[in-house]
Amino acid sequence: MVTIWPLDDPQASQAKADDCEFVLDHYDLVASQLAISDAQKQHVNFEGEGPFLVGWSPSKARGVPDALVLVVDMSADNNQADIDHKFRFWKNKIIEDPSLWRNGWSVEQVRQAIHNFAEEYGQSMLEAIKLFGAKP
């Protein structure tokens, strides 16, 4: 799973070095708004302020009606520990476990990963992570 932080200049040396100040200063709002728009076409309701992690699998499912979309909503996170937990979930369970998404989302496996992660990090995590789409 490729995770993209939308930047206006992703090839810049600072971007490749994960320079936090650079990536914050060069955030590509238009690309982010397009991702949100595509997810909304798939029944996602972005009620919070964000930030949001949004994933499609396969990537060509982006914008396709009734495809499943994984959304991690960090709107309620008001401390670094909560944000770190959700990024850790994304890294450990989404990026590094392709069995969850390689052939499209495995809803049951994603639910189990969310459950296991929530067991460790709490109920607020479970409430923030949602799958959207018409497929069961």
Side-chain angles (χ1 to χ4, degrees):
M1 174 67 63
V2 176
T3 299
I4 300 169
W5 180 270
L7 295 174
D8 57 16
D9 186 7
Q11 298 306 315
S13 60
Q14 299 97 320
K16 292 180 179 182
D18 289 330
D19 179 327
C20 287
E21 291 298 320
F22 179 85
V23 298
L24 289 174
D25 289 341
H26 293 272
Y27 184 76
D28 187 349
L29 183 59
V30 173
S32 299
Q33 290 171 327
L34 287 172
I36 287 173
S37 176
D38 287 343
Q40 287 172 325
K41 292 175 189 171
Q42 295 164 298
H43 315 290
V44 175
N45 183 0
F46 293 95
E47 293 179 354
E49 296 177 356
F52 302 95
L53 295 172
V54 182
W56 290 269
S57 182
S59 60
K60 66 183 178 185
R62 180 175 171 171
V64 174
D66 299 329
L68 287 173
V69 182
L70 178 66
V71 176
V72 176
D73 181 355
M74 294 186 282
S75 298
D77 299 335
N78 49 16
N79 64 61
Q80 191 61 48
D82 289 344
I83 293 168
D84 290 346
H85 290 311
K86 289 181 184 165
F87 272 106
R88 192 173 299 117
F89 167 80
W90 193 266
K91 178 181 179 283
N92 295 338
K93 298 299 179 187
I94 304 302
I95 296 171
E96 294 179 0
D97 188 357
S99 68
L100 296 175
W101 52 264
R102 179 156 286 143
N103 296 312
W105 293 114
S106 167
V107 175
E108 285 308 312
Q109 286 182 313
V110 170
R111 284 182 182 149
Q112 186 63 47
I114 292 168
H115 172 79
N116 293 346
F117 200 76
E119 286 282 321
E120 185 173 348
Y121 295 109
Q123 184 64 26
S124 64
M125 289 289 304
L126 191 57
E127 292 170 356
I129 302 169
K130 302 168 183 79
L131 280 171
F132 293 89
K135 294 182 181 179

